[in-house]
């Protein structure tokens, strides 16, 4: 069982599940908890090999489907039937995989710093990482990735937050997560088609230059997807601009809850 923490408001409040990115942990959501706990039940999860979850849980051939099943196991453990899911960075792939395999468990997706396709620059970056992952200390690679993805001075807080969390990982865990990226583009393309019936909001920092173009393209092709750019923010927009991230996320969840509400007859 993954390590998790719940903050319960009341039995009728909607559940919101937070899924961090690779190298992070549930602690990266510290700027969201205060606002969300006011009107929601909150579930914070550490993915395998991260935070306080156990290491060495990988089996040969494990994929994002196996990672997503572990999140479902937590929902089963705490008896949550349906939840809104908020993912960040690589956690958005886990979130979309849950929506693909267990659509009946997902009310909506809010994808921050979403990854839905790798362009040539990102492919080269990941290829270099996979090539050097067994020979170069993982923290050196992680810091390099962090600076490339979050290069500006105003991204320093979010960059440091993820680097500090990544220090709790080990080389073996980093290698396993890096290996998941090898054939990700075809997989992500299929995910966009399979999950387009689930209400989805993309929240992207306007300075997230590597990942915005594919989002703009997929939103144009799917009427059910919404897209908001958060000004003066990079890849980890929930830390760069937490007030706006919280406002947009909560407003979206409220809208979906209202749409799903049963209107009394008579």
């Amino acid at each position: 069982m993954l390590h998790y923490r719940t903050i319960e408001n009341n039995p009728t409040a909607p559940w919101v599940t937070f899924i961090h990115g690779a190298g992070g942990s549930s602690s990266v959501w510290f700027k969201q908890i205060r606002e969300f706990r006011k009107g929601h039940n909150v579930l914070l999860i550490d993915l395998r090999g991260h935070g306080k979850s156990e290491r060495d849980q990988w089996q040969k051939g494990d994929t994002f489907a196996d990672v997503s099943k572990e999140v479902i196991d937590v929902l089963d453990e705490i008896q949550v039937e349906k939840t809104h899911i908020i993912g960040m960075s690589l956690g958005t792939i886990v979130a979309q995989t849950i929506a693909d395999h267990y659509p009946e468990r997902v009310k909506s997706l809010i994808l921050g710093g979403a990854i839905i396709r790798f362009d040539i620059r990102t492919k080269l970056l990941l290829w270099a990482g996979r090539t050097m992952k067994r020979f170069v200390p993982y923290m050196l690679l992680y810091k390099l990735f962090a600076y490339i993805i979050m290069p500006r001075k105003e991204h320093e807080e979010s960059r440091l937050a993820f680097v500090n969390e990544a220090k709790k990982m080990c080389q073996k865990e980093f290698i396993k997560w890096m290996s998941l990226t090898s054939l990700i583009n075809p997989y992500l393309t299929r995910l966009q088609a399979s999950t387009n019936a689930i209400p989805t909001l993309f929240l992207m920092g306007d300075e997230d230059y590597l990942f915005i173009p594919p989002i703009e393209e997929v939103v144009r092709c799917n009427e059910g997807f919404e897209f908001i750019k958060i000004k003066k923010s990079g890849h980890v927009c929930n830390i760069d601009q937490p007030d706006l991230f919280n406002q947009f996320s909560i407003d979206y969840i409220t809208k979906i809850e209202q749409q799903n509400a049963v209107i009394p007859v008579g």
Side-chain angles (χ1 to χ4, degrees), residues 138 141-142 169-178:
Y138 81 96
L141 287 175
Y142 196 89
M169 294 181 72
C170 63
Q171 186 93 2
K172 185 177 180 180
E173 290 292 338
F174 179 82
I175 288 171
K176 291 294 186 180
W177 280 93
M178 181 64 67

Side-chain angles (χ1 to χ4, degrees), residues 152-170:
R152 300 192 180 187
K153 183 174 179 57
E154 56 266 34
H155 307 160
E156 185 174 11
E157 182 182 4
S158 55
R159 186 169 62 240
L160 288 176
F162 266 77
V163 168
N164 287 334
E165 285 300 317
K167 291 177 182 177
K168 301 174 185 177
M169 294 181 72
C170 63

Side-chain angles (χ1 to χ4, degrees), residues 52-97:
K52 295 181 180 179
S53 286
E54 290 185 21
R55 273 64 173 164
D56 299 325
Q57 297 298 300
W58 296 90
Q59 302 293 325
K60 185 176 181 180
D62 276 359
T63 66
F64 279 105
D66 299 288
V67 177
S68 70
K69 175 60 168 59
E70 293 172 343
V71 176
I72 293 296
D73 288 343
V74 174
L75 292 174
D76 290 342
E77 172 76 11
I78 61 176
Q79 299 181 345
V80 172
E81 183 179 349
K82 299 191 73 169
T83 180
H84 301 274
I85 298 180
I86 300 181
M88 177 57 59
S89 191
L90 207 69
T92 64
I93 303 177
V94 179
Q96 291 173 87
T97 303

Side-chain angles (χ1 to χ4, degrees), residues 200-256:
T200 300
L201 170 65
F202 293 96
L203 285 178
M204 307 291 289
D206 65 349
E207 297 164 359
D208 194 2
Y209 66 101
L210 281 177
F211 300 109
I212 282 181
I215 301 296
E216 292 176 325
E217 181 180 337
V218 78
V219 170
R220 281 196 298 269
C221 299
N222 292 274
E223 293 183 358
F225 291 171
E226 297 186 29
F227 175 35
I228 297 176
K229 284 185 186 179
I230 299 178
K231 293 183 177 180
K232 298 181 180 179
S233 177
H235 184 61
V236 189
C237 49
N238 69 302
I239 294 179
D240 289 343
Q241 294 290 346
D243 292 342
L244 289 175
F245 184 92
N246 296 344
Q247 175 191 330
F248 292 137
S249 299
I250 290 172
D251 287 350
Y252 187 73
I253 289 172
T254 300
K255 182 178 76 171
I256 299 303

